[in-house]
Amino acid sequence: MDTTYKVLETYKNKSIKVEDAEGTRKVLKPEYGLYKSLLEAKTNPREPEMVLEEEQGQAEEQGQQQKIGR
């Protein structure tokens, strides 16, 4: 969902402590969906070109939204 997480700590029981962009910290266990999604993102990162295209598309959308209100 386009949220960036920073891994703060890993534990022996394979749990990880993460922090999101808003500063919210969570401890994730292997059975949690978010844990699985982060592991998937680590093993299969998006292609850099795809990420750039998505960011450019979002920037264009934001620019269009701002123009509508003027």
Side-chain angles (χ1 to χ4, degrees):
M1 298 183 78
D2 295 332
T3 303
T4 301
Y5 291 93
K6 178 180 179 181
V7 177
L8 301 174
E9 222 175 312
T10 57
Y11 302 106
K12 289 183 181 181
N13 63 357
K14 295 189 179 181
S15 296
I16 57 174
K17 187 175 196 177
V18 297
E19 180 179 75
D20 65 14
E22 297 171 357
T24 305
R25 294 181 178 191
K26 301 176 185 182
V27 175
L28 305 176
K29 296 180 181 180
E31 59 268 13
Y32 294 174
L34 180 55
Y35 180 97
K36 293 174 184 175
S37 295
L38 292 174
L39 185 59
E40 173 70 21
K42 178 184 175 186
T43 57
N44 298 315
R46 291 200 226 174
E47 295 181 26
E49 294 172 2
M50 178 185 277
V51 173
L52 289 175
E53 288 174 6
E54 288 179 2
E55 289 174 355
Q56 289 173 351
Q58 290 174 356
E60 289 175 6
E61 288 176 7
Q62 290 175 351
Q64 289 174 354
Q65 289 174 353
Q66 291 174 352
K67 290 178 184 176
I68 292 171
R70 292 182 184 189

